Amino acid sequence: NKFIKTGFILVIILSGFCSTTNIGTLNMGAVYSKSDGMSDVSVYLKNNALPNSIVYFTREVPWEMWYYGYGRKWRKRTLLYEGEQKFLRDVRDRFHKGIYIIAYKDDLGTILDIQNKCTILPVHNVYRGETEKFRIYKVVR
């Protein structure tokens, strides 16, 4: 019993020292700043995107979009994993009501590549504070 108590106290003390010295260098957990503003994106999509629309992200789909878009009949895909060929097939397919692209601020090079292959228009910008976080594009067919 004494051994367990002493070990428990020792573990708490050592974990406190380890966590406070290296807490700034650990790259664990979610990076909220990369998906901050997803609620504004979902509000725009709820007001403008019809069911059976496809929402493409230039990177991974943030967990906030799964939360805010719950119950919506949008298909969420990524340009990162699906690729441009799948995207262009979806553009040619007239089955979908609309195609939207959610571009992170740092991914404007991907948007320039897509603009060379099809027509997209910027329809909404999402800001957090003074900086632009996302830009929403709609594919014109």
PDB file of all heavy atoms in Angstrom, residues 60-88:
ATOM      1  N   GLU A  60      -7.365  18.297 -46.084  1.00  0.00           N
ATOM      2  CA  GLU A  60      -8.286  17.350 -45.445  1.00  0.00           C
ATOM      3  C   GLU A  60      -9.563  18.063 -44.998  1.00  0.00           C
ATOM      4  O   GLU A  60      -9.569  19.276 -44.811  1.00  0.00           O
ATOM      5  CB  GLU A  60      -7.614  16.660 -44.251  1.00  0.00           C
ATOM      6  CG  GLU A  60      -7.367  17.563 -43.068  1.00  0.00           C
ATOM      7  CD  GLU A  60      -6.114  18.418 -43.187  1.00  0.00           C
ATOM      8  OE1 GLU A  60      -5.281  18.147 -44.060  1.00  0.00           O
ATOM      9  OE2 GLU A  60      -5.993  19.373 -42.403  1.00  0.00           O
ATOM     10  N   VAL A  61     -10.620  17.280 -44.831  1.00  0.00           N
ATOM     11  CA  VAL A  61     -11.883  17.833 -44.343  1.00  0.00           C
ATOM     12  C   VAL A  61     -11.754  18.007 -42.827  1.00  0.00           C
ATOM     13  O   VAL A  61     -11.546  17.043 -42.110  1.00  0.00           O
ATOM     14  CB  VAL A  61     -13.069  16.902 -44.675  1.00  0.00           C
ATOM     15  CG1 VAL A  61     -14.372  17.497 -44.141  1.00  0.00           C
ATOM     16  CG2 VAL A  61     -13.169  16.661 -46.167  1.00  0.00           C
ATOM     17  N   PRO A  62     -11.871  19.231 -42.312  1.00  0.00           N
ATOM     18  CA  PRO A  62     -11.737  19.439 -40.860  1.00  0.00           C
ATOM     19  C   PRO A  62     -12.905  18.811 -40.105  1.00  0.00           C
ATOM     20  O   PRO A  62     -14.014  18.695 -40.632  1.00  0.00           O
ATOM     21  CB  PRO A  62     -11.765  20.963 -40.714  1.00  0.00           C
ATOM     22  CG  PRO A  62     -11.568  21.513 -42.060  1.00  0.00           C
ATOM     23  CD  PRO A  62     -12.015  20.490 -43.034  1.00  0.00           C
ATOM     24  N   TRP A  63     -12.643  18.417 -38.873  1.00  0.00           N
ATOM     25  CA  TRP A  63     -13.694  17.774 -38.085  1.00  0.00           C
ATOM     26  C   TRP A  63     -14.847  18.730 -37.858  1.00  0.00           C
ATOM     27  O   TRP A  63     -15.988  18.295 -37.714  1.00  0.00           O
ATOM     28  CB  TRP A  63     -13.135  17.262 -36.760  1.00  0.00           C
ATOM     29  CG  TRP A  63     -12.687  18.331 -35.805  1.00  0.00           C
ATOM     30  CD1 TRP A  63     -11.452  18.868 -35.684  1.00  0.00           C
ATOM     31  CD2 TRP A  63     -13.505  19.007 -34.846  1.00  0.00           C
ATOM     32  NE1 TRP A  63     -11.430  19.838 -34.725  1.00  0.00           N
ATOM     33  CE2 TRP A  63     -12.684  19.947 -34.177  1.00  0.00           C
ATOM     34  CE3 TRP A  63     -14.846  18.922 -34.481  1.00  0.00           C
ATOM     35  CZ2 TRP A  63     -13.164  20.780 -33.178  1.00  0.00           C
ATOM     36  CZ3 TRP A  63     -15.319  19.759 -33.481  1.00  0.00           C
ATOM     37  CH2 TRP A  63     -14.472  20.666 -32.835  1.00  0.00           C
ATOM     38  N   GLU A  64     -14.596  20.041 -37.835  1.00  0.00           N
ATOM     39  CA  GLU A  64     -15.684  20.996 -37.639  1.00  0.00           C
ATOM     40  C   GLU A  64     -16.684  20.944 -38.787  1.00  0.00           C
ATOM     41  O   GLU A  64     -17.867  21.147 -38.596  1.00  0.00           O
ATOM     42  CB  GLU A  64     -15.139  22.427 -37.525  1.00  0.00           C
ATOM     43  CG  GLU A  64     -14.433  22.720 -36.232  1.00  0.00           C
ATOM     44  CD  GLU A  64     -12.954  22.497 -36.344  1.00  0.00           C
ATOM     45  OE1 GLU A  64     -12.509  21.851 -37.319  1.00  0.00           O
ATOM     46  OE2 GLU A  64     -12.226  22.942 -35.450  1.00  0.00           O
ATOM     47  N   MET A  65     -16.213  20.661 -39.986  1.00  0.00           N
ATOM     48  CA  MET A  65     -17.130  20.587 -41.128  1.00  0.00           C
ATOM     49  C   MET A  65     -18.028  19.365 -41.012  1.00  0.00           C
ATOM     50  O   MET A  65     -19.185  19.412 -41.407  1.00  0.00           O
ATOM     51  CB  MET A  65     -16.329  20.551 -42.428  1.00  0.00           C
ATOM     52  CG  MET A  65     -17.185  20.781 -43.634  1.00  0.00           C
ATOM     53  SD  MET A  65     -18.014  22.378 -43.530  1.00  0.00           S
ATOM     54  CE  MET A  65     -19.317  22.116 -44.680  1.00  0.00           C
ATOM     55  N   TRP A  66     -17.504  18.270 -40.475  1.00  0.00           N
ATOM     56  CA  TRP A  66     -18.362  17.103 -40.242  1.00  0.00           C
ATOM     57  C   TRP A  66     -19.420  17.448 -39.189  1.00  0.00           C
ATOM     58  O   TRP A  66     -20.567  17.033 -39.292  1.00  0.00           O
ATOM     59  CB  TRP A  66     -17.537  15.902 -39.787  1.00  0.00           C
ATOM     60  CG  TRP A  66     -16.634  15.387 -40.845  1.00  0.00           C
ATOM     61  CD1 TRP A  66     -15.270  15.518 -40.906  1.00  0.00           C
ATOM     62  CD2 TRP A  66     -17.016  14.681 -42.026  1.00  0.00           C
ATOM     63  NE1 TRP A  66     -14.798  14.941 -42.037  1.00  0.00           N
ATOM     64  CE2 TRP A  66     -15.834  14.415 -42.753  1.00  0.00           C
ATOM     65  CE3 TRP A  66     -18.236  14.252 -42.551  1.00  0.00           C
ATOM     66  CZ2 TRP A  66     -15.839  13.728 -43.957  1.00  0.00           C
ATOM     67  CZ3 TRP A  66     -18.226  13.570 -43.754  1.00  0.00           C
ATOM     68  CH2 TRP A  66     -17.049  13.316 -44.441  1.00  0.00           C
ATOM     69  N   TYR A  67     -19.035  18.237 -38.194  1.00  0.00           N
ATOM     70  CA  TYR A  67     -19.980  18.612 -37.138  1.00  0.00           C
ATOM     71  C   TYR A  67     -21.028  19.590 -37.665  1.00  0.00           C
ATOM     72  O   TYR A  67     -22.225  19.375 -37.523  1.00  0.00           O
ATOM     73  CB  TYR A  67     -19.210  19.234 -35.968  1.00  0.00           C
ATOM     74  CG  TYR A  67     -20.100  19.792 -34.892  1.00  0.00           C
ATOM     75  CD1 TYR A  67     -20.755  18.947 -34.000  1.00  0.00           C
ATOM     76  CD2 TYR A  67     -20.307  21.158 -34.778  1.00  0.00           C
ATOM     77  CE1 TYR A  67     -21.572  19.455 -33.014  1.00  0.00           C
ATOM     78  CE2 TYR A  67     -21.133  21.673 -33.789  1.00  0.00           C
ATOM     79  CZ  TYR A  67     -21.768  20.812 -32.920  1.00  0.00           C
ATOM     80  OH  TYR A  67     -22.581  21.317 -31.964  1.00  0.00           O
ATOM     81  N   TYR A  68     -20.588  20.682 -38.293  1.00  0.00           N
ATOM     82  CA  TYR A  68     -21.523  21.704 -38.759  1.00  0.00           C
ATOM     83  C   TYR A  68     -22.348  21.255 -39.956  1.00  0.00           C
ATOM     84  O   TYR A  68     -23.433  21.753 -40.184  1.00  0.00           O
ATOM     85  CB  TYR A  68     -20.787  22.999 -39.109  1.00  0.00           C
ATOM     86  CG  TYR A  68     -20.213  23.715 -37.913  1.00  0.00           C
ATOM     87  CD1 TYR A  68     -18.853  23.935 -37.807  1.00  0.00           C
ATOM     88  CD2 TYR A  68     -21.033  24.172 -36.891  1.00  0.00           C
ATOM     89  CE1 TYR A  68     -18.322  24.591 -36.717  1.00  0.00           C
ATOM     90  CE2 TYR A  68     -20.507  24.819 -35.800  1.00  0.00           C
ATOM     91  CZ  TYR A  68     -19.158  25.033 -35.713  1.00  0.00           C
ATOM     92  OH  TYR A  68     -18.640  25.680 -34.636  1.00  0.00           O
ATOM     93  N   GLY A  69     -21.818  20.339 -40.733  1.00  0.00           N
ATOM     94  CA  GLY A  69     -22.537  19.868 -41.905  1.00  0.00           C
ATOM     95  C   GLY A  69     -23.315  18.590 -41.683  1.00  0.00           C
ATOM     96  O   GLY A  69     -23.764  17.966 -42.645  1.00  0.00           O
ATOM     97  N   TYR A  70     -23.493  18.206 -40.412  1.00  0.00           N
ATOM     98  CA  TYR A  70     -24.197  16.963 -40.117  1.00  0.00           C
ATOM     99  C   TYR A  70     -25.647  17.039 -40.615  1.00  0.00           C
ATOM    100  O   TYR A  70     -26.333  18.023 -40.402  1.00  0.00           O
ATOM    101  CB  TYR A  70     -24.188  16.685 -38.611  1.00  0.00           C
ATOM    102  CG  TYR A  70     -24.896  15.410 -38.233  1.00  0.00           C
ATOM    103  CD1 TYR A  70     -24.279  14.198 -38.443  1.00  0.00           C
ATOM    104  CD2 TYR A  70     -26.179  15.423 -37.708  1.00  0.00           C
ATOM    105  CE1 TYR A  70     -24.917  13.014 -38.121  1.00  0.00           C
ATOM    106  CE2 TYR A  70     -26.831  14.256 -37.384  1.00  0.00           C
ATOM    107  CZ  TYR A  70     -26.195  13.047 -37.589  1.00  0.00           C
ATOM    108  OH  TYR A  70     -26.835  11.884 -37.276  1.00  0.00           O
ATOM    109  N   GLY A  71     -26.079  16.008 -41.281  1.00  0.00           N
ATOM    110  CA  GLY A  71     -27.444  15.964 -41.786  1.00  0.00           C
ATOM    111  C   GLY A  71     -27.611  16.598 -43.151  1.00  0.00           C
ATOM    112  O   GLY A  71     -28.670  16.484 -43.756  1.00  0.00           O
ATOM    113  N   ARG A  72     -26.602  17.283 -43.634  1.00  0.00           N
ATOM    114  CA  ARG A  72     -26.663  17.883 -44.967  1.00  0.00           C
ATOM    115  C   ARG A  72     -26.284  16.820 -45.995  1.00  0.00           C
ATOM    116  O   ARG A  72     -25.434  15.986 -45.746  1.00  0.00           O
ATOM    117  CB  ARG A  72     -25.718  19.070 -45.087  1.00  0.00           C
ATOM    118  CG  ARG A  72     -26.025  20.169 -44.111  1.00  0.00           C
ATOM    119  CD  ARG A  72     -27.319  20.824 -44.478  1.00  0.00           C
ATOM    120  NE  ARG A  72     -27.726  21.753 -43.433  1.00  0.00           N
ATOM    121  CZ  ARG A  72     -28.728  22.565 -43.549  1.00  0.00           C
ATOM    122  NH1 ARG A  72     -29.442  22.577 -44.657  1.00  0.00           N
ATOM    123  NH2 ARG A  72     -29.053  23.370 -42.577  1.00  0.00           N
ATOM    124  N   LYS A  73     -26.888  16.885 -47.130  1.00  0.00           N
ATOM    125  CA  LYS A  73     -26.641  15.878 -48.154  1.00  0.00           C
ATOM    126  C   LYS A  73     -25.582  16.349 -49.152  1.00  0.00           C
ATOM    127  O   LYS A  73     -25.746  16.244 -50.352  1.00  0.00           O
ATOM    128  CB  LYS A  73     -27.941  15.537 -48.858  1.00  0.00           C
ATOM    129  CG  LYS A  73     -28.969  14.973 -47.898  1.00  0.00           C
ATOM    130  CD  LYS A  73     -30.028  14.231 -48.624  1.00  0.00           C
ATOM    131  CE  LYS A  73     -31.132  13.746 -47.771  1.00  0.00           C
ATOM    132  NZ  LYS A  73     -31.015  13.136 -46.612  1.00  0.00           N
ATOM    133  N   TRP A  74     -24.497  16.877 -48.616  1.00  0.00           N
ATOM    134  CA  TRP A  74     -23.368  17.261 -49.449  1.00  0.00           C
ATOM    135  C   TRP A  74     -22.361  16.124 -49.435  1.00  0.00           C
ATOM    136  O   TRP A  74     -22.214  15.422 -48.446  1.00  0.00           O
ATOM    137  CB  TRP A  74     -22.652  18.489 -48.910  1.00  0.00           C
ATOM    138  CG  TRP A  74     -23.497  19.675 -48.660  1.00  0.00           C
ATOM    139  CD1 TRP A  74     -24.506  20.146 -49.451  1.00  0.00           C
ATOM    140  CD2 TRP A  74     -23.421  20.555 -47.544  1.00  0.00           C
ATOM    141  NE1 TRP A  74     -25.050  21.266 -48.899  1.00  0.00           N
ATOM    142  CE2 TRP A  74     -24.395  21.538 -47.725  1.00  0.00           C
ATOM    143  CE3 TRP A  74     -22.622  20.611 -46.426  1.00  0.00           C
ATOM    144  CZ2 TRP A  74     -24.587  22.562 -46.825  1.00  0.00           C
ATOM    145  CZ3 TRP A  74     -22.813  21.625 -45.525  1.00  0.00           C
ATOM    146  CH2 TRP A  74     -23.782  22.598 -45.723  1.00  0.00           C
ATOM    147  N   ARG A  75     -21.639  16.014 -50.491  1.00  0.00           N
ATOM    148  CA  ARG A  75     -20.517  15.073 -50.523  1.00  0.00           C
ATOM    149  C   ARG A  75     -19.263  15.881 -50.248  1.00  0.00           C
ATOM    150  O   ARG A  75     -19.006  16.874 -50.914  1.00  0.00           O
ATOM    151  CB  ARG A  75     -20.434  14.386 -51.872  1.00  0.00           C
ATOM    152  CG  ARG A  75     -21.639  13.544 -52.112  1.00  0.00           C
ATOM    153  CD  ARG A  75     -21.552  12.839 -53.400  1.00  0.00           C
ATOM    154  NE  ARG A  75     -22.810  12.115 -53.577  1.00  0.00           N
ATOM    155  CZ  ARG A  75     -23.040  11.316 -54.569  1.00  0.00           C
ATOM    156  NH1 ARG A  75     -22.144  11.124 -55.494  1.00  0.00           N
ATOM    157  NH2 ARG A  75     -24.192  10.699 -54.647  1.00  0.00           N
ATOM    158  N   LYS A  76     -18.509  15.453 -49.270  1.00  0.00           N
ATOM    159  CA  LYS A  76     -17.284  16.161 -48.901  1.00  0.00           C
ATOM    160  C   LYS A  76     -16.097  15.375 -49.444  1.00  0.00           C
ATOM    161  O   LYS A  76     -15.936  14.206 -49.140  1.00  0.00           O
ATOM    162  CB  LYS A  76     -17.198  16.302 -47.389  1.00  0.00           C
ATOM    163  CG  LYS A  76     -18.341  17.088 -46.796  1.00  0.00           C
ATOM    164  CD  LYS A  76     -18.293  17.033 -45.282  1.00  0.00           C
ATOM    165  CE  LYS A  76     -19.580  17.472 -44.673  1.00  0.00           C
ATOM    166  NZ  LYS A  76     -20.630  16.490 -44.702  1.00  0.00           N
ATOM    167  N   ARG A  77     -15.277  16.044 -50.220  1.00  0.00           N
ATOM    168  CA  ARG A  77     -14.106  15.410 -50.814  1.00  0.00           C
ATOM    169  C   ARG A  77     -12.927  16.350 -50.697  1.00  0.00           C
ATOM    170  O   ARG A  77     -13.089  17.533 -50.430  1.00  0.00           O
ATOM    171  CB  ARG A  77     -14.365  15.075 -52.284  1.00  0.00           C
ATOM    172  CG  ARG A  77     -15.469  14.075 -52.459  1.00  0.00           C
ATOM    173  CD  ARG A  77     -15.643  13.697 -53.878  1.00  0.00           C
ATOM    174  NE  ARG A  77     -16.716  12.699 -53.985  1.00  0.00           N
ATOM    175  CZ  ARG A  77     -17.379  12.465 -55.070  1.00  0.00           C
ATOM    176  NH1 ARG A  77     -17.105  13.122 -56.175  1.00  0.00           N
ATOM    177  NH2 ARG A  77     -18.321  11.552 -55.093  1.00  0.00           N
ATOM    178  N   THR A  78     -11.749  15.802 -50.927  1.00  0.00           N
ATOM    179  CA  THR A  78     -10.541  16.619 -50.860  1.00  0.00           C
ATOM    180  C   THR A  78      -9.780  16.538 -52.173  1.00  0.00           C
ATOM    181  O   THR A  78      -9.717  15.487 -52.803  1.00  0.00           O
ATOM    182  CB  THR A  78      -9.611  16.155 -49.725  1.00  0.00           C
ATOM    183  OG1 THR A  78      -9.171  14.841 -50.015  1.00  0.00           O
ATOM    184  CG2 THR A  78     -10.311  16.185 -48.390  1.00  0.00           C
ATOM    185  N   LEU A  79      -9.222  17.649 -52.572  1.00  0.00           N
ATOM    186  CA  LEU A  79      -8.346  17.659 -53.740  1.00  0.00           C
ATOM    187  C   LEU A  79      -7.032  16.959 -53.424  1.00  0.00           C
ATOM    188  O   LEU A  79      -6.396  16.387 -54.300  1.00  0.00           O
ATOM    189  CB  LEU A  79      -8.081  19.093 -54.203  1.00  0.00           C
ATOM    190  CG  LEU A  79      -9.268  19.807 -54.836  1.00  0.00           C
ATOM    191  CD1 LEU A  79      -8.964  21.284 -54.994  1.00  0.00           C
ATOM    192  CD2 LEU A  79      -9.598  19.189 -56.170  1.00  0.00           C
ATOM    193  N   LEU A  80      -6.653  16.976 -52.159  1.00  0.00           N
ATOM    194  CA  LEU A  80      -5.408  16.362 -51.732  1.00  0.00           C
ATOM    195  C   LEU A  80      -5.441  14.850 -51.948  1.00  0.00           C
ATOM    196  O   LEU A  80      -4.500  14.278 -52.472  1.00  0.00           O
ATOM    197  CB  LEU A  80      -5.155  16.690 -50.256  1.00  0.00           C
ATOM    198  CG  LEU A  80      -3.894  16.151 -49.626  1.00  0.00           C
ATOM    199  CD1 LEU A  80      -2.679  16.837 -50.233  1.00  0.00           C
ATOM    200  CD2 LEU A  80      -3.922  16.355 -48.127  1.00  0.00           C
ATOM    201  N   TYR A  81      -6.537  14.194 -51.585  1.00  0.00           N
ATOM    202  CA  TYR A  81      -6.623  12.739 -51.674  1.00  0.00           C
ATOM    203  C   TYR A  81      -7.314  12.269 -52.954  1.00  0.00           C
ATOM    204  O   TYR A  81      -6.937  11.259 -53.521  1.00  0.00           O
ATOM    205  CB  TYR A  81      -7.352  12.172 -50.464  1.00  0.00           C
ATOM    206  CG  TYR A  81      -6.680  12.512 -49.160  1.00  0.00           C
ATOM    207  CD1 TYR A  81      -7.377  13.143 -48.139  1.00  0.00           C
ATOM    208  CD2 TYR A  81      -5.340  12.232 -48.948  1.00  0.00           C
ATOM    209  CE1 TYR A  81      -6.757  13.467 -46.951  1.00  0.00           C
ATOM    210  CE2 TYR A  81      -4.712  12.562 -47.769  1.00  0.00           C
ATOM    211  CZ  TYR A  81      -5.422  13.172 -46.772  1.00  0.00           C
ATOM    212  OH  TYR A  81      -4.820  13.502 -45.601  1.00  0.00           O
ATOM    213  N   GLU A  82      -8.339  12.966 -53.391  1.00  0.00           N
ATOM    214  CA  GLU A  82      -9.085  12.552 -54.580  1.00  0.00           C
ATOM    215  C   GLU A  82      -8.317  12.877 -55.859  1.00  0.00           C
ATOM    216  O   GLU A  82      -8.379  12.134 -56.825  1.00  0.00           O
ATOM    217  CB  GLU A  82     -10.452  13.239 -54.629  1.00  0.00           C
ATOM    218  CG  GLU A  82     -11.312  13.019 -53.411  1.00  0.00           C
ATOM    219  CD  GLU A  82     -11.902  11.631 -53.346  1.00  0.00           C
ATOM    220  OE1 GLU A  82     -12.009  10.970 -54.388  1.00  0.00           O
ATOM    221  OE2 GLU A  82     -12.256  11.208 -52.241  1.00  0.00           O
ATOM    222  N   GLY A  83      -7.653  14.005 -55.882  1.00  0.00           N
ATOM    223  CA  GLY A  83      -6.875  14.407 -57.045  1.00  0.00           C
ATOM    224  C   GLY A  83      -7.685  15.249 -58.018  1.00  0.00           C
ATOM    225  O   GLY A  83      -8.913  15.308 -57.972  1.00  0.00           O
ATOM    226  N   GLU A  84      -6.981  15.913 -58.905  1.00  0.00           N
ATOM    227  CA  GLU A  84      -7.624  16.797 -59.869  1.00  0.00           C
ATOM    228  C   GLU A  84      -8.410  16.032 -60.920  1.00  0.00           C
ATOM    229  O   GLU A  84      -9.395  16.546 -61.450  1.00  0.00           O
ATOM    230  CB  GLU A  84      -6.578  17.688 -60.538  1.00  0.00           C
ATOM    231  CG  GLU A  84      -6.102  18.811 -59.659  1.00  0.00           C
ATOM    232  CD  GLU A  84      -5.192  19.777 -60.403  1.00  0.00           C
ATOM    233  OE1 GLU A  84      -5.319  19.898 -61.639  1.00  0.00           O
ATOM    234  OE2 GLU A  84      -4.364  20.401 -59.741  1.00  0.00           O
ATOM    235  N   GLN A  85      -7.985  14.821 -61.258  1.00  0.00           N
ATOM    236  CA  GLN A  85      -8.698  14.045 -62.281  1.00  0.00           C
ATOM    237  C   GLN A  85     -10.114  13.704 -61.811  1.00  0.00           C
ATOM    238  O   GLN A  85     -11.072  13.826 -62.568  1.00  0.00           O
ATOM    239  CB  GLN A  85      -7.923  12.775 -62.628  1.00  0.00           C
ATOM    240  CG  GLN A  85      -6.571  13.039 -63.256  1.00  0.00           C
ATOM    241  CD  GLN A  85      -6.683  13.897 -64.508  1.00  0.00           C
ATOM    242  OE1 GLN A  85      -7.569  13.713 -65.325  1.00  0.00           O
ATOM    243  NE2 GLN A  85      -5.773  14.856 -64.643  1.00  0.00           N
ATOM    244  N   LYS A  86     -10.260  13.301 -60.563  1.00  0.00           N
ATOM    245  CA  LYS A  86     -11.581  13.013 -60.001  1.00  0.00           C
ATOM    246  C   LYS A  86     -12.417  14.292 -59.955  1.00  0.00           C
ATOM    247  O   LYS A  86     -13.611  14.284 -60.244  1.00  0.00           O
ATOM    248  CB  LYS A  86     -11.425  12.410 -58.606  1.00  0.00           C
ATOM    249  CG  LYS A  86     -12.699  12.186 -57.855  1.00  0.00           C
ATOM    250  CD  LYS A  86     -13.464  11.036 -58.417  1.00  0.00           C
ATOM    251  CE  LYS A  86     -14.641  10.737 -57.488  1.00  0.00           C
ATOM    252  NZ  LYS A  86     -15.715  10.091 -58.170  1.00  0.00           N
ATOM    253  N   PHE A  87     -11.790  15.388 -59.588  1.00  0.00           N
ATOM    254  CA  PHE A  87     -12.479  16.678 -59.545  1.00  0.00           C
ATOM    255  C   PHE A  87     -13.008  17.052 -60.932  1.00  0.00           C
ATOM    256  O   PHE A  87     -14.165  17.447 -61.075  1.00  0.00           O
ATOM    257  CB  PHE A  87     -11.531  17.756 -59.011  1.00  0.00           C
ATOM    258  CG  PHE A  87     -12.069  19.147 -59.138  1.00  0.00           C
ATOM    259  CD1 PHE A  87     -13.058  19.600 -58.287  1.00  0.00           C
ATOM    260  CD2 PHE A  87     -11.595  20.003 -60.123  1.00  0.00           C
ATOM    261  CE1 PHE A  87     -13.573  20.881 -58.402  1.00  0.00           C
ATOM    262  CE2 PHE A  87     -12.088  21.283 -60.250  1.00  0.00           C
ATOM    263  CZ  PHE A  87     -13.082  21.720 -59.385  1.00  0.00           C
ATOM    264  N   LEU A  88     -12.178  16.919 -61.958  1.00  0.00           N
ATOM    265  CA  LEU A  88     -12.601  17.276 -63.312  1.00  0.00           C
ATOM    266  C   LEU A  88     -13.698  16.345 -63.832  1.00  0.00           C
ATOM    267  O   LEU A  88     -14.585  16.780 -64.568  1.00  0.00           O
ATOM    268  CB  LEU A  88     -11.396  17.281 -64.257  1.00  0.00           C
ATOM    269  CG  LEU A  88     -10.366  18.389 -63.964  1.00  0.00           C
ATOM    270  CD1 LEU A  88      -9.143  18.218 -64.830  1.00  0.00           C
ATOM    271  CD2 LEU A  88     -10.987  19.761 -64.144  1.00  0.00           C
TER     272      LEU A  88
END
